[in-house]
């Protein structure tokens, strides 16, 4: 007898809960609200769903010469979205991979006058405008908005290390004699460094030019900035 009353009581509670909760659940499903970020530990990935990218701050100003011995500054890229890297033509390690990543980015946005690329050598003694021009030719660069830049070594090292905080240094113990970051900087039309957030909501600052995902991410974010 006591067991029967317990079953009846439980059944009554379930019935009341169903009458109260089911319409709300159905409503949330219809309104696409069944899963929210505050309900799960990890809902979103680093994909920029809302189209908003973090603004890190203004990119450092620069003034260098390109493969055609023409002066190029950050003002040259005003009104354009561009990707910037530090490299050198005789690099035996990461630069070839970075070159290929940049070529993929160039191909995706080729013909868009509002997009460009800046590749700054950290070995200006060797990488003269003539050498850079030949390097661009060997790579098969087609975009007129892709500038390979050279200048005074101390100036370039300060631009990399103190300006962009992208490591570049000389090291006689490594192949090629130089070390540098494999990261790409993304700059918007107003000259600001921009980026997406990582899985924990922190700005990534720069994009991995050695990784397929990094290249895919920066391509997505270039498209976002071009629409701004």
């Amino acid at each position: 007898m006591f067991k029967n009353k317990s079953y009846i009581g439980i059944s009554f509670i379930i019935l009341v809960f169903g009458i109260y909760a089911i319409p709300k659940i159905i409503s949330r499903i219809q309104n696409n609200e069944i899963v929210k970020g505050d309900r799960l530990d990890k809902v979103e990935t680093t994909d920029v769903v809302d189209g908003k990218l973090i603004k890190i701050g203004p990119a450092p100003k620069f003034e260098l010469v390109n493969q055609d011995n023409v002066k190029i500054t950050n003002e040259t890229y005003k009104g354009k979205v561009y990707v910037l890297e530090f490299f050198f033509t005789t690099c035996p390690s990461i630069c070839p991979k970075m070159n290929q990543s940049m070529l993929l980015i160039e191909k995706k946005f080729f013909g868009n006058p509002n997009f460009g690329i800046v590749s700054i050598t950290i070995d200006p003694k060797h990488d003269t405008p003539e050498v850079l021009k030949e390097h661009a030719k060997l790579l098969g660069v087609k975009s007129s908005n892709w500038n390979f830049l050279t200048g005074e070594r101390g100036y370039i090292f300060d631009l990399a290390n103190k300006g962009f905080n992208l490591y570049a240094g000389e090291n006689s113990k490594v192949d090629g004699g130089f070390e540098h970051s494999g990261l790409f900087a993304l700059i918007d039309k107003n000259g600001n460094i921009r980026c997406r957030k990582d899985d924990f909501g922190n700005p990534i600052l720069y994009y991995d030019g050695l990784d397929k995902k990094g290249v895919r991410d920066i391509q997505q974010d270039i498209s976002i900035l071009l629409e701004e």
Side-chain angles (χ1 to χ4, degrees):
M1 185 71 174
F2 179 75
K3 276 187 177 181
N4 290 338
K5 288 182 179 180
S6 297
Y7 290 143
I8 293 170
I10 292 169
S11 299
F12 179 75
I13 291 170
I14 292 171
L15 178 63
V16 170
F17 174 80
I19 293 171
Y20 173 77
I22 289 175
K24 290 181 177 289
I25 294 171
I26 292 172
S27 175
R28 289 181 67 192
I29 293 171
Q30 290 174 341
N31 292 320
N32 197 29
E33 296 177 347
I34 193 65
V35 176
K36 289 292 187 182
D38 60 352
R39 299 288 178 144
L40 298 175
D41 290 334
K42 192 175 177 184
V43 176
E44 297 181 353
T45 66
T46 54
D47 290 339
V48 183
V49 178
D50 61 2
K52 293 180 181 179
L53 298 175
I54 301 296
K55 186 184 294 185
I56 302 302
K61 294 180 180 180
F62 60 86
E63 183 175 314
L64 297 160
V65 295
N66 72 359
Q67 65 269 33
D68 296 314
N69 212 26
V70 174
K71 184 175 74 173
I72 301 293
T73 75
N74 52 298
E75 287 296 308
T76 305
Y77 285 87
K78 190 173 182 179
K80 290 180 171 59
V81 176
Y82 65 101
V83 179
L84 181 145
E85 66 169 347
F86 292 90
F87 86 115
F88 62 109
T89 62
T90 57
C91 172
S93 54
I94 65 174
C95 292
K97 177 61 177 175
M98 293 170 70
N99 289 160
Q100 292 305 309
S101 295
M102 279 296 192
L103 286 169
L104 289 174
I105 295 169
E106 179 205 36
K107 183 178 179 180
K108 183 172 179 63
F109 299 99
F110 182 72
N112 190 321
N114 297 319
F115 175 72
I117 298 172
V118 174
S119 296
I120 303 175
T121 180
I122 61 170
D123 184 12
K125 184 176 180 180
H126 176 271
D127 292 341
T128 62
E130 293 75 21
V131 170
L132 292 175
K133 191 176 183 70
E134 182 63 22
H135 184 72
K137 182 179 177 181
L138 289 172
L139 287 177
V141 171
K142 297 178 181 179
S143 174
S144 60
N145 284 331
W146 187 344
N147 284 292
F148 292 81
L149 304 182
T150 189
E152 195 272 320
R153 189 179 71 165
Y155 178 88
I156 290 172
F157 274 37
D158 281 348
L159 180 64
N161 294 309
K162 298 177 183 178
F164 282 95
N165 287 318
L166 288 172
Y167 174 68
E170 194 168 5
N171 186 347
S172 60
K173 295 181 180 179
V174 300
D175 290 342
F178 293 90
E179 295 177 313
H180 63 97
S181 167
L183 300 176
F184 294 163
L186 177 60
I187 296 98
D188 68 18
K189 295 175 184 177
N190 297 314
N192 293 304
I193 299 172
R194 302 284 291 274
C195 72
R196 60 173 55 197
K197 296 178 182 179
D198 64 17
D199 291 338
F200 304 100
N202 303 309
I204 65 169
L205 300 181
Y206 299 114
Y207 297 77
D208 190 347
L210 304 172
D211 178 70
K212 288 183 179 179
K213 183 180 183 304
V215 175
R216 186 174 64 248
D217 287 349
I218 201 170
Q219 287 177 329
Q220 292 173 353
D221 294 351
I222 289 166
S223 295
I224 291 170
L225 293 183
L226 286 170
E227 293 296 321
E228 287 189 349

